[in-house]
Amino acid sequence: MAAMNGSGVHKPAKYSAFNLLRRGLTGEGWPRAWRTHDLRPAYDVVIIGAGVHGLATAYYLAVNHHITNVAVVDRGYVGGGGSGRNTAIVRSNYLTPEGVRFYDRSVKLYERLAAELNFNVMFSQRGHLTLAHNDSSLRTMRWRAEVNKLEGVDSEVIGPAEIKKLVPFMDVGDETRYPILGALYHPPGGTIRHDAVNWGYARGADSLGVHILQNTDVTGIDVREGAVRGVHTTRGDIAAPIVVNCTAGWASIVSAMAGVSLPIITHPLQAAVTEPVKVFLEAVVVSGTLHVYVSQTDRGELVFGASTDPYASYSMRGSLEFTEELAGHVLELMPSIAKMRVLRQWAGLCDMTPDFSPIMGMTPVDGFLVDVGWGTYGFKAGPVSGEAMAQLIATGKTPEIIASFDLARFAEGRLVGEKGAAAVGH
Ligand code: PYC
């Protein structure tokens, strides 16, 4: 059993080779990674959304600022939204200095996450390649490489011969329909096990006293005299002076409950996975022109994604058009995998902002904060967002690293244009 004290803090079972052996030999089971709780009538902070952003915010509130009277509420289950539906790519090769600094901090936090959370998050920095098939994308790759280098992030433009060495199965010849002119190569980029990140943060936050309230749907946000007072949920009302919207897919709907309007349009994004084959693809490969990205898991499956569906919708159904187009584009790049079979496809919801950067920080409603607008790039930002939102809540001051992502930028014309660094064309 997990040890517990009166403050709600408890010591989770340590995951180690020794404990694995001991429990294997004695037959002793493992305790649940996080507990279930009845709702308290009031919390210091209520976070809506038990994905990586909400859980990381709760974890860093507890670990960095000792604020533990915190509830993370979710209408579904931990990591059941965008945090469990993404293609698990981590990188910091963005276009704007603000974006590069922000995502680089996330990579640094991801690098130490497994040790910090005692949870194997399988972060594999296998290198990330963004292909250029025409002069204008090559120019953008050069631009990104220069900004990255200035910010101390490892990225460079390489030519077809070097690409071939990194990805021997790729057709880099000039006879193809979209010849590859070069690529932005970003060695620290790679993939991570997204479920493990969600579960690790949930376990870490729970062990410090945070309540994770699954199956708890927020039906309204109580705002009086310009300040947030709490939330209404399907399990009862909760009073709280701070409510944080950490949802993805429903960010504008949840914010509207507090009377805050966001410049967000929600689109589905589909992905697919193949049967497993012997590992042959080391790097993550992205082609904006062909609207495709691919990586291979440790188990050998190829994970594919494309651009967002071209219509606004809250549907999470897969479509045949997606699979057909994806297959066509993938085979342009790697004709030799033509016989592989797709096993499964799914979709997540992406809250797209006008400048392809997130919306983070305070809102015109006192105590109502947002960490939203994550488009197709939210998972990789989980740790840095959690760290920065926790700092904002604890100190009341917006940390420099998220200052340019404020909501007011849209009214004041200070956009942070990251479209050129989105994984695929939109
Ligand atoms: O931003 O790297 C990315 C990404 C990959 C898949 C969707 N977005």
Side-chain angles (χ1 to χ4, degrees):
M1 274 300 286
M4 202 177 299
N5 70 26
S7 67
V9 175
H10 83 125
K11 206 165 173 300
K14 186 166 167 52
Y15 296 154
S16 67
F18 173 74
N19 269 339
L20 187 63
L21 184 66
R22 185 178 65 76
R23 284 175 192 264
L25 291 176
T26 62
E28 185 185 338
W30 294 91
R32 282 185 175 275
W34 60 88
R35 298 163 289 171
T36 54
H37 297 277
D38 291 332
L39 257 61
R40 283 187 196 139
Y43 291 89
D44 294 335
V45 182
V46 168
I47 298 169
I48 308 174
V52 65
H53 286 255
L55 295 166
T57 301
Y59 171 75
Y60 291 116
L61 269 174
V63 81
N64 289 352
H65 306 283
H66 312 292
I67 297 174
T68 56
N69 186 23
V70 175
V72 183
V73 296
D74 197 291
R75 71 171 176 189
Y77 55 93
V78 162
S83 292
R85 293 164 183 275
N86 61 83
T87 43
I89 295 171
V90 175
R91 64 186 174 93
S92 59
N93 56 357
Y94 278 74
L95 180 62
T96 66
E98 297 89 331
V100 177
R101 284 196 285 271
F102 177 74
Y103 289 97
D104 183 47
R105 174 70 189 154
S106 225
V107 170
K108 298 273 167 14
L109 290 169
Y110 270 131
E111 280 170 350
R112 62 176 213 219
L113 203 60
E116 180 172 343
L117 297 177
N118 177 227
F119 209 107
N120 183 5
V121 295
M122 297 167 75
F123 187 23
S124 163
Q125 294 181 283
R126 51 184 60 192
H128 182 283
L129 283 166
T130 315
L131 306 177
H133 302 267
N134 54 50
D135 287 341
S136 70
S137 17
L138 200 54
R139 179 180 163 274
T140 308
M141 299 312 154
R142 292 210 177 97
W143 180 0
R144 283 169 67 180
E146 293 312 311
V147 178
N148 286 195
K149 282 183 210 155
L150 280 171
E151 296 298 333
V153 166
D154 189 3
S155 290
E156 62 175 325
V157 173
I158 59 174
E162 287 160 289
I163 298 172
K164 184 84 183 164
K165 274 194 214 140
L166 291 166
V167 190
F169 282 79
M170 187 123 68
D171 188 348
V172 296
D174 48 17
E175 299 292 299
T176 60
R177 201 156 128 223
Y178 299 99
I180 296 168
L181 305 186
L184 180 67
Y185 178 45
H186 176 53
T191 54
I192 198 156
R193 178 75 205 279
H194 53 196
D195 295 323
V197 174
N198 298 324
W199 299 335
Y201 272 128
R203 175 171 172 265
D206 171 84
S207 74
L208 296 165
V210 168
H211 281 190
I212 296 167
L213 305 171
Q214 302 179 102
N215 299 315
T216 309
D217 196 358
V218 171
T219 52
I221 299 179
D222 189 9
V223 176
R224 273 172 280 145
E225 287 152 15
V228 84
R229 311 288 164 160
V231 295
H232 307 293
T233 82
T234 44
R235 289 174 63 198
D237 293 347
I238 307 173
I242 298 184
V243 173
V244 193
N245 179 0
C246 283
T247 61
W250 292 272
S252 47
I253 293 172
V254 170
S255 286
M257 291 178 185
V260 173
S261 160
L262 299 176
I264 280 178
I265 299 181
T266 302
H267 287 254
L269 175 62
Q270 299 191 46
V273 66
T274 67
E275 62 188 334
V277 294
K278 193 171 161 185
V279 173
F280 68 92
L281 179 63
E282 175 74 16
V284 178
V285 178
V286 178
S287 165
T289 305
L290 293 173
H291 301 279
V292 68
Y293 38 89
V294 54
S295 66
Q296 190 169 22
T297 69
D298 294 330
R299 269 198 307 237
E301 303 120 327
L302 293 181
V303 179
F304 295 111
S307 36
T308 52
D309 287 348
Y311 42 82
S313 166
Y314 290 98
S315 161
M316 285 194 273
R317 298 186 63 162
S319 68
L320 182 60
E321 287 87 345
F322 162 80
T323 333
E324 277 178 349
E325 278 186 23
L326 181 76
H329 290 153
V330 167
L331 294 183
E332 300 259 2
L333 289 180
M334 291 189 250
S336 53
I337 65 166
K339 295 237 162 72
M340 282 183 77
R341 280 169 295 197
V342 169
L343 285 192
R344 195 163 65 83
Q345 72 184 98
W346 65 95
L349 297 180
C350 300
D351 290 330
M352 309 305 299
T353 62
D355 60 358
F356 288 67
S357 285
I359 308 174
M360 301 180 75
M362 306 201 191
T363 70
V365 173
D366 253 7
F368 181 64
L369 311 184
V370 290
D371 170 16
V372 297
W374 285 106
T376 60
Y377 24 83
F379 192 79
K380 56 184 68 50
V384 64
S385 303
E387 184 186 55
M389 291 304 291
Q391 193 183 330
L392 169 59
I393 294 163
T395 63
K397 295 197 187 78
T398 303
E400 186 53 37
I401 199 156
I402 59 166
S404 45
F405 302 138
D406 61 331
L407 176 59
R409 77 180 185 275
F410 298 104
E412 294 169 9
R414 293 180 280 104
L415 300 194
V416 189
E418 280 292 0
K419 187 165 182 177
V424 281
H426 289 276

